[in-house]
Amino acid sequence: MMHSRTVQIWVGLFVVAGMAALLMLSMKVSNISAFTESEGFKVTGYFENIGGLKVRSPVTMAGVVVGRVASIGFDRESYEAVVTLNIQSEYDNIPEDSSASIFTAGLLGEQYIALEAGGAEDALKEGSELQLTQSAIVLEQIIGQFLVSQADKE
Amino acid sequence: MTNSDMKTESPHEAAGEPLVRIRDLVYHRGERTIFDGINIDIERGKLTAIMGPSGTGKTTLLRLIGGQLRPDTGTVHVDDQPVSELGYGPLYELRKRMGMLFQNGALLTDLNVFDNVAFPLREHTQLNETMVRDLVLMKLHSVGLRGARDLMPSELSGGMARRVALARAIALDPMMIMYDEPFTGQDPISMGVLVSLLRTLTDALGLTSVVVSHDVQESLSIADYVYVISAGKVVEHGTPDDLRQSKSDWVQQFIQGKSDGPVPFHFPATDYAADLFGGNN
Amino acid sequence: MLNQLQKLGATTLGIAERLGRGHLFLWHVLSGFPALLPRFGLVISQLYSVGVLSLLIIAVAGLFVGMVLALQGYYTLVDFGATESLGVLVALSLVRELGPVVGGLLFAGRAGSALTAEIGLMKATEQLSAMEMMAVDPLHRVVAPRFMAGILAMPLLAAIFSALGVIGGYFVAVGLLGVDEGAFWSQMQAKVDLYEDILNGVIKSIVFGFVVTWIAVFEGYDAVPTSEGVSRATTNTVVHGSLAVLGLDFILTALMFD
């Protein structure tokens, strides 16, 4: 067929451009770390109120992302939320008695779990349970408490 | 219209099995009856012409022989194989041995002349390119267009396109070729070229040719045997000389191209005078 | 009243019959795919007409859509002081929705209509019949390579659309509106997920490529073999293809991002 060489070169360029675009989308636009994240260990924690926490919300320690929320469930006995955290396996020296708090990034931002290191010898491992947890701060409750305390003063 | 000489037995007796045998063929398109029980035999190595007015389904007949359409009742046998009952595989095998020349050539518009003729060879054989090249040039030479091998179909005249299509149809050395209106819309020179090509190809290659046409004089001049179809029936059949001496008024009108006769000049209508003075209706 | 009812019934039957034919057609075409692998050259030449020739409009459209997204998003986000999220907005809109959907619409308009017209004309000029009589199955030789090329080309085109859109958005946000470059990319990377967003977008574009190409080649193959019939089939491809993309997008979005 005529011009088949030109056609093939163009198609080659097209495929390369398409692949490059896909590569850019996965490397530059999204977090490629999603690949490594599945390798890690799971710990659970009970929270009275998780507020707006979602699956895949970040888990941070000193502001550095060390893992993500793997699943959120509800405990029928204690009426508390059960949150499973997936911690990346490289962070294998987090003390067992570390505390977990649900914070909000900025006033309107998303919610995340912040871990604060305790003093225990043993580190968190697969299946550990976080003993010290602090629930999400629900804005309406704070405003409500503030109003009540103002009323009491008068 | 006379159907007096319709016969149910073989229309003409000849030595050897006919290549194409059509028996009691009935075909409807929607409400319209295209064929109403026709019998046709096409002899091996002969040039058979099938003639009839426009719209009698001559092209449909070729498609029935080629297995592109299936009859409602009746049978079509090609080389002793029942075309209308063949499955996908055997039908495609059979078609490799049949060629068909479409009205306007039906060349593949994105391929040049050479590649068009090479198309069936490349699709069906494992020949190397040198062999393909030699075969294509031989076929193109036989239709006198070896020099046009690099042209695109859009650069060809109608007659040349048909000749290229003819070269393509004989590329696989088929046992028969069907021609769909090969003479329509040709100037006298290309018509003459096509007429003599058809005859020489039939004789030289021992092909069986079926020509569907309403160009009476050209068809009669080259055909070995002629069928005339009208209104879904075979009206007359015989050698060209038989036909010229036919007693049927209808056949005489058709052959001589008279404007009035058994086939009236006027399309059926209400009374002329009444129509003119009848107001809006 | 009874006439209306009859008309409705006839239309319904017609649609059902056409759908049935479309599926048989699809099955027949797909059965020709294995035979294409040793003759991949056929697919490559179709990738040229389906993919390469659609590249320009896809690239230009992607770039401009990304630029407009950044511009419009900025004016909303600036009120909340959240302009750093502009990257997230642009990237998520493109990767999840606009890349596959607008890419699919443009694909239906550019490549789909060309496919229908080409196959329809081949039918009208008896080229398909001629192939059948040469014992070459046109569904395998003509339709199957075009179909495969369409399925392969569409995800690549949608990815190019999205990538260029992000780049266009970057130029407007960082270059024109003064959004912080680091925040633009890091916010984007933090929020866009490889599986959730990008992979789902690719799946969408594969589905759209399949459906649009299917509609295009079927409309061409099923066209009334006259110039009028082919032009109507071409219009049908663009209309039905676009509607199919929009309708399927809703269903896929509901299934993927619940």
Side-chain angles (χ1 to χ4, degrees):
Chain A
M1 229 181 272
M2 283 196 307
H3 312 307
S4 78
R5 208 179 126 76
T6 342
V7 166
Q8 283 167 0
I9 290 172
W10 269 108
V11 171
L13 277 176
F14 169 60
V15 173
V16 167
M19 289 299 168
L22 275 176
L23 204 68
M24 179 205 153
L25 289 179
S26 41
M27 305 290 283
K28 186 84 180 160
V29 173
S30 83
N31 48 351
I32 197 77
S33 60
F35 275 125
T36 54
E37 205 165 38
S38 53
E39 293 167 20
F41 58 92
K42 291 201 166 57
V43 297
T44 52
Y46 286 79
F47 292 86
E48 270 175 32
N49 191 333
I50 57 162
L53 195 74
K54 301 226 163 45
V55 173
R56 289 199 46 75
S57 291
V59 177
T60 66
M61 199 156 190
V64 178
V65 178
V66 296
R68 285 188 187 274
V69 172
S71 68
I72 296 173
F74 181 70
D75 188 68
R76 293 175 58 91
E77 315 272 292
S78 61
Y79 306 110
E80 283 181 328
V82 193
V83 178
T84 310
L85 313 179
N86 189 19
I87 312 277
Q88 289 169 41
S89 41
E90 59 199 281
Y91 304 108
D92 54 359
N93 61 341
I94 302 170
E96 206 182 21
D97 60 346
S98 297
S99 68
S101 322
I102 299 178
F103 288 149
T104 309
L107 198 58
L108 300 167
E110 57 168 357
Q111 290 188 300
Y112 64 97
I113 292 184
L115 296 179
E116 206 161 316
E121 294 275 302
D122 295 332
L124 285 175
K125 54 183 189 294
E126 175 76 33
S128 302
E129 195 187 315
L130 293 161
Q131 299 298 336
L132 293 167
T133 59
Q134 189 193 328
S135 292
I137 298 161
V138 179
L139 210 58
E140 292 91 321
Q141 279 180 358
I142 296 174
I143 295 170
Q145 281 164 7
F146 176 73
L147 289 177
V148 170
S149 64
Q150 288 296 90
D152 287 349
K153 273 183 197 169
E154 283 166 16
Chain B
M1 215 171 295
T2 61
N3 297 318
S4 52
D5 38 17
M6 269 295 303
K7 296 162 199 160
T8 39
E9 79 272 16
S10 178
H12 60 119
E13 306 296 332
E17 269 292 292
L19 185 65
V20 179
R21 190 153 35 93
I22 299 175
R23 285 291 172 275
D24 304 320
L25 179 80
V26 177
Y27 184 75
H28 297 271
R29 185 180 294 140
E31 306 273 291
R32 245 184 91 206
T33 304
I34 308 285
F35 297 118
D36 188 11
I38 58 169
N39 296 295
I40 289 177
D41 279 353
I42 288 161
E43 295 298 320
R44 290 173 196 271
K46 294 275 172 59
L47 200 159
T48 308
I50 297 171
M51 299 197 292
S54 309
T56 40
K58 301 186 295 293
T59 307
T60 310
L61 185 66
L62 293 188
R63 288 184 189 275
L64 284 161
I65 297 174
Q68 286 186 316
L69 299 173
R70 311 232 147 169
D72 295 336
T73 58
T75 54
V76 178
H77 281 80
V78 175
D79 200 24
D80 278 332
Q81 296 196 57
V83 176
S84 41
E85 285 144 38
L86 288 180
Y88 182 85
L91 181 61
Y92 270 71
E93 276 309 308
L94 181 65
R95 280 185 188 157
K96 286 183 193 170
R97 299 191 290 139
M98 302 160 99
M100 179 146 168
L101 189 71
F102 285 82
Q103 223 173 88
N104 45 24
L107 296 176
L108 306 176
T109 37
D110 55 342
L111 302 179
N112 67 17
V113 166
F114 182 93
D115 289 326
N116 256 292
V117 180
F119 182 82
L121 294 168
R122 288 181 179 148
E123 290 291 324
H124 292 309
T125 67
Q126 307 295 323
L127 298 174
N128 60 33
E129 269 308 297
T130 12
M131 285 282 281
V132 169
R133 196 186 117 90
D134 290 351
L135 277 170
V136 170
L137 292 185
M138 276 163 61
K139 303 296 176 189
L140 276 175
H141 188 75
S142 66
V143 296
L145 289 176
R146 193 161 43 85
R149 73 185 94 158
D150 292 326
L151 297 180
M152 294 303 284
S154 53
E155 299 168 292
L156 301 174
S157 72
M160 282 161 84
R162 268 176 227 190
R163 278 149 73 191
V164 174
L166 188 51
R168 183 178 68 178
I170 57 173
L172 287 174
D173 293 316
M175 57 185 177
M176 72 180 283
I177 296 195
M178 299 182 274
Y179 301 87
D180 188 5
E181 302 282 5
F183 311 122
T184 315
Q186 297 298 306
D187 62 71
I189 299 177
S190 11
M191 179 104 89
V193 170
L194 281 166
V195 168
S196 63
L197 251 181
L198 254 64
R199 191 67 247 183
T200 40
L201 279 179
T202 308
D203 295 341
L205 303 176
L207 281 170
T208 306
S209 299
V210 185
V211 179
V212 146
S213 178
H214 51 226
D215 293 284
V216 176
Q217 298 316 322
E218 288 73 20
S219 306
L220 289 184
S221 71
I222 54 168
D224 295 312
Y225 204 83
V226 181
Y227 283 86
V228 180
I229 302 181
S230 179
K233 305 265 186 195
V234 173
V235 193
E236 187 76 276
H237 59 85
T239 61
D241 285 333
D242 293 344
L243 242 70
R244 288 197 187 93
Q245 270 129 47
S246 167
K247 298 199 174 50
S248 156
D249 289 342
W250 190 92
V251 172
Q252 286 304 331
Q253 186 194 358
F254 182 70
I255 288 180
Q256 292 167 28
K258 292 180 198 156
S259 70
D260 212 355
V263 180
F265 169 70
H266 289 290
F267 193 80
T270 51
D271 183 61
Y272 187 39
D275 218 2
L276 282 181
F277 296 109
N280 290 332
N281 298 329
Chain C
M1 181 61 196
L2 214 58
N3 279 344
Q4 300 292 329
L5 209 63
Q6 186 201 352
K7 226 178 246 172
L8 179 71
T11 315
T12 314
L13 284 176
I15 293 172
E17 195 207 332
R18 197 130 196 275
L19 274 175
R21 260 185 298 146
H23 281 88
L24 287 177
F25 169 87
L26 177 68
W27 180 244
H28 195 141
V29 171
L30 291 182
S31 74
F33 270 18
L36 275 181
L37 295 177
R39 302 182 65 189
F40 209 69
L42 289 176
V43 181
I44 288 185
S45 52
Q46 291 311 319
L47 267 175
Y48 180 79
S49 48
V50 171
V52 176
L53 295 182
S54 310
L55 204 53
L56 185 68
I57 187 163
I58 289 276
V60 172
L63 205 61
F64 276 91
V65 166
M67 284 159 67
V68 168
L69 267 179
L71 213 53
Q72 294 284 17
Y74 181 79
Y75 292 118
T76 312
L77 291 176
V78 78
D79 288 345
F80 301 101
T83 49
E84 295 80 26
S85 302
L86 199 52
V88 186
L89 181 121
V90 170
L92 276 188
S93 317
L94 280 167
V95 169
R96 282 182 166 196
E97 288 297 328
L98 295 173
V101 172
V102 180
L105 295 178
L106 291 173
F107 185 73
R110 173 67 186 79
S113 60
L115 279 178
T116 307
E118 191 190 10
I119 295 176
L121 277 175
M122 288 182 87
K123 185 181 184 187
T125 53
E126 292 183 310
Q127 293 180 49
L128 298 183
S129 271
M131 274 194 196
E132 261 180 43
M133 287 309 298
M134 284 188 278
V136 176
D137 191 333
L139 289 180
H140 290 172
R141 179 62 172 68
V142 174
V143 176
R146 283 165 175 76
F147 199 29
M148 190 185 265
I151 296 171
L152 293 178
M154 183 59 216
L156 296 178
L157 289 171
I160 291 171
F161 186 100
S162 299
L164 284 173
V166 169
I167 291 172
Y170 166 79
F171 280 131
V172 169
V174 176
L176 212 63
L177 301 170
V179 174
D180 180 60
E181 183 175 349
F184 182 86
W185 290 115
S186 65
Q187 289 260 347
M188 188 191 295
Q189 284 166 6
K191 284 281 180 61
V192 179
D193 184 67
L194 185 65
Y195 300 106
E196 264 300 276
D197 302 316
I198 293 185
L199 200 67
N200 276 344
V202 171
I203 291 172
K204 267 189 183 180
S205 60
I206 293 174
V207 173
F208 295 164
F210 184 91
V211 172
V212 169
T213 320
W214 178 18
I215 291 175
V217 291
F218 180 65
E219 283 287 352
Y221 190 77
D222 206 45
V224 180
T226 59
S227 38
E228 195 196 6
V230 174
S231 74
R232 196 180 314 125
T234 311
T235 315
N236 278 349
T237 294
V238 178
V239 174
H240 295 168
S242 304
L243 288 178
V245 165
L246 295 171
L248 277 171
D249 181 53
F250 178 75
I251 296 171
L252 287 176
T253 305
L255 288 177
M256 286 170 173
F257 309 109
D258 52 348

